[in-house]
Amino acid sequence: MGGTAELIPKDEHIYRIVFERLNSSLSSVRETAVNTLTGIVATDETVRVAVLARLEDQEEYVRRAAVDALTGVVATDLVVRNAVLVRLEDQEEDVRSAAVYALTDVVATDETVRAAVLARLEDQEEDVRSAAVYVLTGVMATDQTVRDAVLARLEDRKVYVRWAAVEALNGVVDSDETVRDAVLVRLEDQEEAVRSAAVEALTGVMATDQTVRAAVLARMEDQEEDVRSAAVKALTGIVTTNETVRAAVLARLEAREVYVRSTALSALTSVVATDETVRAAILARLEDQEGGVRSAAVEALAGVVATDETVRTAILARLDDREDYVRSTTVEALSSVVATDETVRAAILARLEDREDYVRSTAVEALTGVVATDETVRAAVL
């Protein structure tokens, strides 16, 4: 029946058949009928009323389908809104979660809805609590009651709810010290997902809050790779101005995990031109055993290719890298000097014969600027 959805507004016969299926004795058929009619709930009042009745269906998945189908009219139809609101008390968590999400667009404007969703922060099921946290995110900055209630969820027994609370509070960390202090505590959470989220949430105050900065710096030694990488990313913005941070990020170039090394390379890009120690350390990563790290090193050094002959020569060697994406990144990095360096131009010209088509395509793009002036290039490209 799913394929008939687009035909319903045009075919009265199909419309009637599907509509009648809303009262089928088979719950799976009723569910399919609800889903099929979703597209015309907003424009057909008869359909809307019929789908509304399915909110009282004896099967939870039919009720959930009805909630989902009515979501688009919750903001404009008060009858629908009130009926969905009742589903926040449904005995099944999937239906309660669906109802919470369905009310998202009116949480900011309807105080009754907001209060009802707020109550779901105490739901016995974590999926419903996390849904409520998510839906209330939009009013976090303006409603202190909501903020305090979500703040309490940072102590929730379930990891996903704590994670959702950190994410929801992200937007007020900069302006609310109470929130900031509570998120800071989550850097010690037993679950890595929560620690990573806390690191990301604190990024905006890294430059101005020394306590936060020190705590995030400590996360560079976290036992989990994702947390260490998050800490590097969060500190990227102050690498140029804070030598302690820069040194800590520089040390991550020797991390055992590929992603941490790559993240550190990206973080240090802004100081490659001005810090010779950083530049030399990144240069060494061109020989890293992992292609992803070599590629990140090429990207980080691209900005000094035109001015540093040592860097240019080292990057030029990556045109013969065993990994095609490293070769492609190298061509891009060298494109800025194709017009002025004949050695580079000749090396990129040779990449027109590369075994990988996207490396060849990158080489063509890099050579475009000299097609008009270099007959050899023109002949090879055209």
Side-chain angles (χ1 to χ4, degrees), residues 142-157:
T142 55
D143 191 316
Q144 188 65 48
T145 302
V146 168
R147 193 183 311 179
D148 291 343
V150 172
L151 201 58
R153 288 300 106 207
L154 290 176
E155 304 290 339
D156 197 278
R157 64 188 180 277

Side-chain angles (χ1 to χ4, degrees), residues 184-372:
L184 199 59
V185 172
R186 288 301 108 204
L187 291 176
E188 303 292 337
D189 195 278
Q190 67 267 38
E191 297 291 340
E192 65 174 290
V194 180
R195 297 198 300 277
S196 291
V199 168
E200 292 171 10
L202 292 163
T203 300
V205 294
M206 211 63 63
T208 55
D209 192 315
Q210 189 173 347
T211 303
V212 169
R213 187 161 61 245
V216 172
L217 262 173
R219 285 301 106 204
M220 283 196 177
E221 304 298 331
D222 195 278
Q223 66 268 35
E224 298 295 340
E225 170 186 358
D226 286 349
V227 182
R228 294 197 297 276
S229 295
V232 172
K233 285 182 181 178
L235 292 161
T236 298
I238 56 174
V239 161
T240 56
T241 56
N242 190 301
E243 290 189 8
T244 301
V245 169
R246 190 185 309 178
V249 174
L250 194 61
R252 290 297 107 205
L253 291 179
E254 302 294 335
R256 63 184 179 276
E257 295 87 357
V258 174
Y259 185 56
V260 177
R261 297 199 300 276
S262 296
T263 304
L265 285 166
S266 298
L268 292 164
T269 300
S270 61
V271 293
V272 165
T274 55
D275 190 318
E276 291 188 10
T277 302
V278 168
R279 194 184 315 173
I282 293 178
L283 206 55
R285 287 298 108 203
L286 289 174
E287 302 296 333
D288 195 279
Q289 68 269 32
E290 295 292 339
V293 178
R294 297 195 300 275
S295 182
V298 170
E299 290 178 350
L301 292 164
V304 294
V305 161
T307 55
D308 190 316
E309 188 68 38
T310 302
V311 168
R312 191 186 313 177
T313 301
I315 288 180
L316 198 58
R318 288 300 106 207
L319 286 175
D320 292 310
D321 196 278
R322 62 184 177 276
E323 300 290 352
D324 47 64
Y325 59 88
V326 180
R327 298 196 301 277
S328 179
T329 302
T330 301
V331 171
E332 291 177 356
L334 292 166
S335 61
S336 62
V337 293
V338 164
T340 56
D341 189 316
E342 291 188 7
T343 302
V344 168
R345 193 185 313 171
I348 291 179
L349 200 59
R351 284 301 107 204
L352 292 176
E353 303 298 328
D354 195 279
R355 62 182 177 274
E356 294 294 337
D357 57 354
Y358 78 92
V359 178
R360 298 195 298 273
S361 296
T362 307
V364 169
E365 291 176 14
L367 292 164
T368 300
V370 293
V371 165

Side-chain angles (χ1 to χ4, degrees), residues 37-99:
L37 291 164
T38 298
I40 58 173
V41 162
T43 56
D44 190 315
E45 191 173 345
T46 303
V47 167
R48 193 183 317 169
V49 170
V51 172
L52 201 58
R54 288 301 105 209
L55 290 176
E56 303 292 337
D57 197 280
Q58 66 267 36
E59 293 293 341
E60 65 170 289
Y61 55 88
V62 180
R63 297 196 301 275
R64 172 161 188 160
V67 170
D68 290 340
L70 293 162
T71 297
V73 293
V74 161
T76 55
D77 189 317
L78 195 55
V79 173
V80 169
R81 189 185 312 177
N82 289 335
V84 171
L85 202 57
V86 171
R87 288 301 109 204
L88 291 177
E89 304 291 339
D90 196 279
Q91 66 267 36
E92 298 295 340
E93 64 174 290
D94 283 352
V95 181
R96 296 197 302 276
S97 291

Side-chain angles (χ1 to χ4, degrees), residues 24-33 57-59 61-62:
S24 170
S25 60
L26 296 175
S27 57
S28 60
V29 175
R30 297 197 301 274
E31 180 194 20
T32 303
D57 197 280
Q58 66 267 36
E59 293 293 341
Y61 55 88
V62 180

